[in-house]
Amino acid sequence: MELTLKSLHDDRDAFLAAGYHLPEFDYDTVHKNTVEHPHWIHFGAGNIFRAFQANVAQNLLNSGVLDTGLIAAEGYDYEIIEKSYRPHDNLSILATLKADNTVEKTIVGSIMESLILDSKNEAEYARLREIFKNPSLQMASFTITEKGYATANAKGEFFPAVAADFEKGPEAPESYLGKVVSLLYTRYTHGALPIAMVSMDNCSHNGDKLYAAVNAFAKAWTDNGLVEAGFLGYVNDQTKVTFPWSMIDKITPRPDAKVEAMLAEDHIGGLDAVVTSKNTYIAPFVNAEECEYLVIEDAFPNGKPALDKGGIIFTDRATVDKVEKMKVCTCLNPLHTALAIYGCLLGYTLISEEMKNPLLKNMVEVIGYKEGLPVVVNPGILDPKKFIDEVVNVRIPNPFLPDSPQRIATDTSQKLSIRFGETIKAYEASPDLHTEDLKLIPLVYAGWLRYLMGIDDEGREFTPSSDPLLEEARQYVADYELSFSPKDLSKLDALLANEKIFGVNLHAIGMDTLVKQYFAELSSGVGAVAAALKKYVPEKVTL
Ligand SMILES: NC(=O)C1=CN([C@@H]2O[C@H](COP(=O)(O)OP(=O)(O)OC[C@H]3O[C@@H](n4cnc5c(N)ncnc54)[C@H](O)[C@@H]3O)[C@@H](O)[C@H]2O)C=CC1
Ligand SMILES: O=P(O)(O)OC[C@H]1O[C@](O)(CO)[C@@H](O)[C@@H]1O
């Protein structure tokens, strides 16, 4: 068998016998409808898109709720399309790795076109313009990673490609967002048609990030006389163009060798995973957990596909904000980051294995239930207690999900502030709660300092995961080594006072003393990390 439309047709019985769910809609009709009346284009053809959005669309096509499929556009890593989409007629295999050790295998065929977003690729760029001219288009969505929305570096200087595009205008831009905004300009010049531009990336207030980038281009092109006068107004007219906020949640690890081997047993050829030259881990299959949440602000000026029938929740902005805070600041991501740091220190390579260690499990339970939950505002549409129960008892201990502390430890310096700082701020602001009662959040901070030393609890060197502030942050711990001798910890002061990293100035609120005390213990010798966990994490957590 092959992962192609022809093989799906010719070998249908063999696929079914091997346990695959197959697309159940009339492919040719949906393809024709999509080409003629596209409703939904997605930018960022990576793993989450195929595991989540494309599968939701397929379910809705199967049940007849939708009659058009998806168009995938890739403007950063063209190899994804060349190596993983086109050889397989845009089909992919979704391996849903359930906590009960069953794997659901689905051939996802809802992506009707895959296009390279490159202004030098005339044919495909023309097709993208055609799509943006079409009145039927309701939504352009994005999963391009948080850094994909940046137009400038940390010093505020525009990236060279962005600066060049500001000068050149919408004809043939080179930067990612420049290309997207030039398509939006095409939509403007063809009737100022309405559209929702929906970021589905895992970052706080994601719609604002997309808006800021789009608006920067619209403004620069207007100031430089490169676009019609009304374009900037169009981008800022919410009856025309919106930038809804969203919260997305589905743990989708990189394509895993064990899953590849399992699929190979079904005798489907050509499923090899590749790492592209731009470092995307991609394969014709994706592996993900079963659980998924996508909550989107209901601001769609051209109407929206009936995705609510596929489990996607539409609500108001304030609710999206609360849901996102619940997940990112308390119920999922802080627990992940705590496990990432201590997992790397203790030599784990699977998050699920860490959850078998009672101390690590108790650590995340205290951080989530005891320290975080008291300050969570219930968003109403999802219950925080139930959400965290599912995270702690089902999702992160799922032994079949090949997720690693090393993957989650990527960019920790960028994550600490939102994942823990918001809770600290809420304690500081509360008349009833006391920041000094927070005992394990400081242990995570201290763990991160210990992690920056790049030496695990056995005394072996390890390579910390990539992080834009890694080298800078490592300077602060460069003088420390594993030893029981007393340390001058003042070298940590400037780091601990860095509000950007921790969300609060830990010195100003007095938490730095505890973090330093913990750090001294964690770095006091081989085995000190395990010893500190034993000392500070309760043996029993009563929920
Ligand atoms: N994988 C996961 O568990 C989840 C991911 N997400 C969000 O989706 C994003 C992408 O995740 P995956 O698709 O799993 O990753 P991936 O590595 O499979 O794909 C990354 C995608 O982003 C694009 N990209 C990377 N750097 C870029 C840049 N500088 N400019 C523009 N595009 C760029 C790539 O070309 C590719 O389309 C994440 O960063 C996160 O925000 C959200 C929830 C879960
Ligand atoms: O720590 P990161 O890199 O944001 O990844 C966290 C993981 O958890 C999630 O937030 C779950 O949705 C995903 O984005 C990702 O798989």
Side-chain angles (χ1 to χ4, degrees):
M1 295 185 283
E2 300 283 329
L3 186 62
T4 58
L5 287 173
K6 181 172 183 317
S7 183
L8 268 197
H9 178 268
D10 296 350
D11 306 317
R12 187 177 167 82
D13 291 343
F15 274 107
L16 289 172
Y20 286 83
H21 298 284
L22 302 181
E24 287 159 18
F25 52 88
D26 179 342
Y27 189 91
D28 291 340
T29 306
V30 171
H31 186 267
K32 182 172 181 291
N33 290 347
T34 311
V35 170
E36 289 175 0
H37 309 291
H39 286 123
W40 184 3
I41 183 167
H42 183 87
F43 294 87
N47 288 300
I48 182 78
F49 165 63
R50 295 205 282 178
F52 195 168
Q53 290 91 335
N55 190 45
V56 168
Q58 165 137 316
N59 289 335
L60 294 174
L61 287 167
N62 286 345
S63 57
V65 172
L66 298 186
D67 64 359
T68 58
L70 273 156
I71 297 167
E74 177 55 54
Y76 175 75
D77 189 345
Y78 309 148
E79 278 178 71
I80 297 176
I81 301 292
E82 289 158 355
K83 295 195 167 147
S84 197
Y85 276 63
R86 297 210 170 137
H88 302 282
D89 299 329
N90 304 324
L91 299 169
S92 60
I93 297 174
L94 166 60
T96 304
L97 309 171
K98 300 190 181 182
D100 64 0
N101 191 14
T102 55
V103 180
E104 195 169 307
K105 298 176 290 188
T106 308
I107 310 277
V108 177
S110 59
I111 300 169
M112 295 292 139
E113 282 183 271
S114 58
L115 294 162
I116 288 173
L117 171 63
D118 175 1
S119 57
K120 294 191 201 75
N121 182 332
E122 279 177 30
E124 297 193 37
Y125 211 60
R127 171 63 190 143
L128 284 160
R129 287 202 191 283
E130 199 178 287
I131 291 164
F132 268 77
K133 285 177 201 167
N134 200 317
S136 65
L137 188 66
Q138 295 177 313
M139 134 155 99
S141 58
F142 298 79
T143 48
I144 57 172
T145 78
E146 181 161 4
K147 58 189 176 301
Y149 301 94
T151 50
N153 65 19
K155 290 185 203 145
E157 299 154 347
F158 289 115
F159 295 129
V162 170
D165 285 349
F166 282 177
E167 299 300 320
K168 285 191 306 197
E171 259 326 291
E174 285 192 13
S175 64
Y176 199 116
L177 269 311
K179 291 183 278 189
V180 169
V181 183
S182 97
L183 296 177
L184 192 58
Y185 184 58
T186 300
R187 193 160 181 79
Y188 169 73
T189 55
H190 288 78
L193 298 166
I195 188 169
M197 305 285 281
V198 191
S199 168
M200 296 180 179
D201 266 295
N202 202 14
C203 47
S204 195
H205 302 175
N206 48 17
D208 286 358
K209 283 201 178 346
L210 179 57
Y211 165 75
V214 170
N215 192 52
F217 275 92
K219 189 158 183 327
W221 288 345
T222 305
D223 290 348
N224 293 335
L226 297 164
V227 289
E228 289 177 19
F231 182 52
L232 186 58
Y234 167 74
V235 164
N236 284 280
D237 176 351
Q238 288 174 23
T239 65
K240 295 289 187 189
V241 186
T242 55
F243 299 89
W245 293 5
S246 70
M247 186 288 279
I248 183 164
D249 183 18
K250 183 176 180 91
I251 301 174
T252 306
R254 293 164 178 161
D256 183 64
K258 281 204 201 101
V259 174
E260 188 174 329
M262 180 198 73
L263 298 174
E265 284 173 16
D266 294 333
H267 306 291
I268 304 176
L271 296 186
D272 306 346
V274 292
V275 183
T276 68
S277 53
K278 293 216 163 171
N279 208 35
T280 312
Y281 289 69
I282 202 95
F285 67 90
V286 283
N287 36 240
E289 66 173 339
E290 184 177 21
C291 181
E292 58 189 27
Y293 297 100
L294 179 51
V295 181
I296 308 176
E297 178 186 352
D298 194 358
F300 286 76
N302 201 24
K304 57 182 187 279
L307 303 180
D308 49 326
K309 298 207 167 69
I312 292 176
I313 299 173
F314 293 97
T315 183
D316 55 64
R317 175 172 286 204
T319 306
V320 177
D321 194 28
K322 284 184 208 145
V323 171
E324 184 224 290
K325 284 206 164 71
M326 177 195 79
K327 178 215 167 202
V328 177
C329 307
T330 306
C331 297
L332 195 161
N333 299 89
L335 317 188
H336 247 163
T337 289
L339 290 170
I341 290 170
Y342 280 93
C344 292
L345 286 172
L346 296 172
Y348 285 94
T349 54
L350 277 177
I351 293 278
S352 56
E353 279 298 312
E354 294 189 71
M355 289 299 280
K356 292 183 189 157
N357 177 334
L359 284 178
L360 293 175
K361 181 166 188 284
N362 289 357
M363 174 180 74
V364 296
E365 285 186 351
V366 172
I367 292 172
Y369 290 96
K370 301 287 181 191
E371 299 192 345
L373 217 46
V375 299
V376 167
V377 178
N378 189 331
I381 54 167
L382 293 175
D383 178 62
K385 167 80 168 52
K386 275 198 198 138
F387 189 92
I388 192 170
D389 284 346
E390 191 182 32
V391 167
V392 170
N393 300 316
V394 183
R395 299 179 63 188
I396 52 182
N398 179 350
F400 310 104
L401 200 66
D403 210 7
S404 67
Q406 290 74 21
R407 176 179 89 102
I408 308 293
T410 305
D411 298 346
T412 297
S413 70
Q414 314 294 298
K415 298 172 174 174
L416 291 172
S417 137
I418 182 86
R419 295 182 182 195
F420 302 98
E422 294 302 312
T423 295
I424 299 174
K425 282 188 214 162
Y427 270 70
E428 286 284 295
S430 164
D432 308 316
L433 298 165
H434 308 288
T435 308
E436 56 277 18
D437 290 340
L438 295 173
K439 300 295 185 203
L440 294 196
I441 289 178
L443 192 63
V444 177
Y445 285 162
W448 182 58
L449 302 179
R450 175 67 184 77
Y451 163 95
L452 289 174
M453 292 170 71
I455 303 169
D456 72 14
D457 203 30
E458 304 269 306
R460 291 173 305 219
E461 281 191 19
F462 70 89
T463 308
S465 306
S466 70
D467 185 320
L469 284 189
L470 190 63
E471 288 322 311
E472 193 182 325
R474 291 191 78 180
Q475 298 300 318
Y476 293 95
V477 298
D479 291 344
Y480 301 121
E481 50 192 34
L482 294 194
S483 87
F484 289 97
S485 53
K487 300 177 172 67
D488 168 12
L489 296 172
S490 61
K491 296 204 171 78
L492 299 173
D493 287 346
L495 181 59
L496 294 175
N498 189 325
E499 214 169 302
K500 263 193 130 178
I501 292 182
F502 296 102
V504 277
N505 176 332
L506 297 180
H507 175 67
I509 62 162
M511 192 182 274
D512 58 339
T513 311
L514 185 58
V515 175
K516 286 200 263 185
Q517 178 206 314
Y518 284 153
F519 174 71
E521 291 190 40
L522 291 168
S523 57
S524 63
V526 168
V529 173
L533 287 175
K534 205 162 184 322
K535 182 169 169 191
Y536 293 112
V537 174
E539 268 179 31
K540 199 169 160 37
V541 184
T542 321
L543 301 176

